[in-house]
Amino acid sequence: MLDFFRDMAHNEFLLTGLLAGLLASVACGVIGPYVVTRKIVFLSGAIAHMAVGGIGAALFLATVFPGWFAWLLPMHGAVLSALAGALVIGLIHQRATERLDTLIGALWAIGMAVGVLLIKYTPGYQTELMSYLFGNIAFVSWDDLGLMAALDAIIVGTVLLWHKRFLAICLDPEQAELQGVNVLAANLVLLCLVALTVICLTQVVGLILVIALLCLPAATAAHHTRRMGSMIAVATLLCGLLTTLPRMGVYGSRVSPESAIVLAAGGLYVLSVVYRRVRGGRV
Amino acid sequence: MADDPVVEMSNLCFGYGPEPASALVLEDVSLCIESREFLGVIGPNGGGKTTLLKMILGLLRPQEGQIRVFGVAPAQARDRIGYVPQHARVDPSVPANVLDVVLTGRLRRSSWGARYAREHVQRAMAALEQTGTQDLAGRAIGTLSGGQRQRILIARALAADTQLLLLDEPTAGVDPHMERGLTDLLHRLNERLPIVIVSHDVSFVSAHLKRIACLNRRLTCHAARDISWDVVAPLYQDPVRIVRHAHECPLSDPGCGHGCGGHETDGLRTGSPAAPVVPEEPGNA
């Protein structure tokens, strides 16, 4: 860990990686508690995997039709498809009468398959794909940090405006509707925020594993807090620690920092479950 | 104002899904709820009780017939109706305390922002006091008993400045001791609010309420003291059978001019208290 700080002086990427982790912590610390409370972890996973389809489509279009789509970056495709995925899943969630989980699972798999397929048909060797799928916290650019900060601002701003509605639909959607809340709109906005959070987390842990950072710190926080506000605060703090300490811990070893972050989040959650179990609480 | 009916429904018909008359959940239901009403609606599961509540709330529209709440369409009157769902509806795993839950009753008046202004918190605390649960304000909702949660939900309805209280199965999962407290609370609230309780718990409803409506697709009203097993049994034995009572209301009835709603409980009793329950012939409305 000391090596990490010593090298930070002449390796800018160590600093940007650290900042990326902290910026991502804001997004997943704020949205994670809603995801866990509203029980939409699975939906969030589907949104993340549909973003892979968007990355594939963006790479394919930019390479095959450079005249029209040269400007299209993979991140654009990811944002668009994640948001579109959020809207589609939100509408299905509201309307579907049966086999909701199967439908979501289908979207999850199709999104991923489309992405992999399009990348395979994109000329050239796409190394970039791996960094979207598995994260690349070792090489975060200042532009990436700018995007993450902007996403954080949107997420935090929207939650500050809509928190009361979000909490109401978590507690009792029917009552929220009777109180004049447009439940469908609130659900869609929440899922769009999940989509933006997914994008924010892409560089830190990769799309395949965003679900870990989205739900594990929040679920751990839920064990030790009793209100939404404190759950968000604790989850943000845990995310901040989880995206920095394991990264520093494995610095210089062959362990990839992204897996270290996810394993630490998972380990902490399991410990928290066991702790509650031993103390006799509910799990 | 006090004499205007709170809820007026005439000849309501409703079925889920497309038309065929056999699938009707409510058929030709007429009811009038007055400003001092304390009405219990009993009937078997699937008899249309919850559907009736959803009609009053404007969540469902009648296929035929008319319904007015406070003289306007139900959806427009929603901000004056306090609906208390079965307490199992509120997710106890949500990280929120009792005050958070009751504050959602103020959401219509304060939907933007992350916090409720002090004025709304005061209203919510006042509602908790009215239900005798102010000591629970800081408790996590997951730690409450069924009876406590029921009171919290009543407080949430009161916090919304409600002028009509609808309760769906208030005694489900509530032990008998808490049930008595609940009844006292409802009687106190009834001094200023009309209350409608929907329940399949016949004994609870008949022991405490002024007027009772039996609902099994069709609706018939009784004074509470006329309710006996003779009245109730046919309602439950055979879901298709319809009960008709000797004191069915004439259409010329004063009040809302139709159905049985215009009756005071006395009016009902002057009929024949021991009115026999006559199974109606099918198709004979």
Side-chain angles (χ1 to χ4, degrees):
Chain A
M1 195 180 279
L2 284 175
D3 292 349
F4 185 90
F5 288 107
R6 200 184 52 227
D7 293 350
M8 210 155 85
H10 49 85
N11 185 351
E12 198 181 57
F13 282 120
L14 292 183
L15 177 64
T16 55
L18 211 56
L19 291 176
L22 293 177
L23 286 172
S25 302
V26 173
C28 74
V30 171
I31 296 302
Y34 292 108
V35 169
V36 170
T37 305
R38 189 98 181 86
K39 302 187 174 96
I40 51 173
V41 173
F42 189 52
L43 273 61
S44 310
I47 290 174
H49 284 73
M50 287 173 81
V52 178
I55 287 171
L59 280 171
F60 181 79
L61 291 174
T63 314
V64 179
F65 306 103
W68 293 337
F69 293 108
W71 53 272
L72 192 65
L73 295 175
M75 209 38 133
H76 297 147
V79 172
L80 287 178
S81 63
L83 286 175
L87 294 176
V88 168
I89 285 172
L91 289 170
I92 288 177
H93 195 231
Q94 186 88 355
R95 301 280 150 82
T97 49
E98 55 168 71
R99 302 216 189 279
L100 178 66
D101 57 338
T102 309
L103 270 170
I104 304 296
L107 288 174
W108 176 312
I110 291 169
M112 184 86 187
V114 166
V116 172
L117 193 71
L118 286 175
I119 287 162
K120 188 164 168 64
Y121 280 95
T122 303
Y125 182 61
Q126 301 296 339
T127 46
E128 240 179 319
L129 176 68
M130 296 308 271
S131 74
Y132 289 110
L133 291 186
F134 299 108
N136 195 1
I137 200 171
F139 296 99
V140 181
S141 70
W142 287 101
D143 285 350
D144 294 330
L145 289 182
L147 174 72
M148 293 172 81
L151 293 175
D152 275 347
I154 295 171
I155 290 166
V156 173
T158 312
V159 166
L160 283 177
L161 283 176
W162 279 52
H163 167 70
K164 283 187 280 194
R165 296 173 213 215
F166 291 154
L167 184 61
I169 61 170
C170 289
L171 277 167
D172 184 350
E174 193 175 61
Q175 183 72 22
E177 189 176 348
L178 292 173
Q179 281 290 327
V181 173
N182 185 333
V183 175
L184 177 62
N187 269 330
L188 291 179
V189 169
L190 187 55
L191 285 171
C192 285
L193 293 184
V194 170
L196 298 183
T197 306
V198 162
I199 301 301
C200 216
L201 289 172
T202 306
Q203 284 256 322
V204 178
V205 284
L207 286 170
I208 306 255
L209 290 175
V210 285
I211 201 162
L213 269 194
L214 203 50
C215 72
L216 292 175
T220 309
H223 287 164
H224 307 283
T225 53
R226 299 211 306 218
R227 293 184 76 190
M228 202 61 163
S230 48
M231 187 172 167
I232 287 175
V234 171
T236 308
L237 185 71
L238 285 179
C239 282
L241 295 173
L242 286 168
T243 50
T244 48
L245 293 183
R247 157 107 180 93
M248 294 173 186
V250 299
Y251 180 68
S253 75
R254 290 184 57 212
V255 180
S256 81
E258 297 83 9
S259 332
I261 289 170
V262 172
L263 281 176
L268 191 64
Y269 175 68
V270 171
L271 275 181
S272 180
V273 170
V274 171
Y275 174 75
R276 270 168 68 97
R277 195 87 214 187
V278 169
R279 296 252 332 253
R282 272 186 322 128
V283 174
Chain B
M1 165 69 202
D3 295 320
D4 288 338
V6 175
V7 177
E8 241 186 312
M9 45 178 93
S10 51
N11 313 105
L12 284 193
C13 289
F14 183 83
Y16 293 95
E19 286 295 298
S22 60
L24 284 179
V25 179
L26 298 178
E27 187 175 346
D28 200 21
V29 168
S30 296
L31 176 68
C32 186
I33 297 171
E34 303 288 336
S35 56
R36 285 274 172 267
E37 188 76 71
F38 199 163
L39 174 74
V41 181
I42 58 173
N45 286 330
K49 300 189 299 290
T50 302
T51 306
L52 190 77
L53 283 191
K54 288 188 171 172
M55 290 272 169
I56 299 176
L57 288 164
L59 292 173
L60 296 172
R61 284 167 189 279
Q63 288 167 345
E64 278 173 50
Q66 264 238 331
I67 174 164
R68 312 290 280 174
V69 181
F70 295 108
V72 294
Q76 288 164 14
R78 235 180 238 171
D79 57 336
R80 297 200 252 170
I81 307 174
Y83 171 56
V84 182
Q86 296 185 32
H87 65 79
R89 285 279 189 75
V90 174
D91 185 347
S93 70
V94 174
N97 65 23
V98 164
L99 186 60
D100 290 327
V101 176
V102 176
L103 274 168
T104 58
R106 304 294 300 171
L107 193 59
R108 180 181 288 279
R109 287 155 185 85
S110 162
S111 58
W112 293 96
R115 304 183 76 105
Y116 289 89
R118 182 184 301 181
E119 166 207 352
H120 298 294
V121 176
Q122 282 167 353
R123 295 305 296 268
M125 285 307 294
L128 282 170
E129 265 167 49
Q130 284 174 53
T131 56
T133 47
Q134 63 273 37
D135 298 341
L136 300 176
R139 284 270 296 275
I141 51 168
T143 64
L144 300 179
S145 72
Q148 286 170 329
R149 226 183 289 165
Q150 196 67 56
R151 281 168 175 261
I152 299 310
L153 296 186
I154 294 172
R156 179 178 71 178
L158 294 176
D161 301 332
T162 186
Q163 293 169 35
L164 164 66
L165 204 53
L166 307 178
L167 294 100
D168 195 354
E169 302 284 0
T171 57
V174 175
D175 60 57
H177 171 68
M178 293 297 279
E179 191 177 301
R180 184 163 320 133
L182 191 66
T183 320
D184 293 343
L185 168 65
L186 291 175
H187 275 288
R188 247 182 298 131
L189 294 174
N190 186 229
E191 285 165 17
R192 59 185 181 84
L193 278 176
I195 297 180
V196 178
I197 290 181
V198 151
S199 178
H200 64 253
D201 185 349
V202 179
S203 62
F204 171 79
V205 168
S206 58
H208 301 294
L209 306 194
K210 293 176 191 163
R211 196 160 73 107
I212 290 175
C214 296
L215 182 65
N216 189 7
R217 198 152 65 98
R218 286 159 176 270
L219 182 125
T220 344
C221 293
H222 307 266
R225 73 167 62 167
D226 292 342
I227 288 287
S228 66
W229 188 242
D230 289 342
V231 174
V232 173
L235 199 63
Y236 284 84
Q237 269 171 6
D238 179 356
V240 201
R241 188 186 290 171
I242 297 154
V243 286
R244 190 176 64 188
H245 305 273
H247 50 247
E248 213 159 30
C249 324
L251 283 172
S252 60
D253 191 57
C256 49
H258 54 70
C260 53
H263 282 292
E264 291 303 312
T265 46
D266 284 340
L268 278 170
R269 253 179 272 127
T270 54
S272 54
V277 178
V278 185
E280 223 171 55
E281 288 145 40
N284 180 5

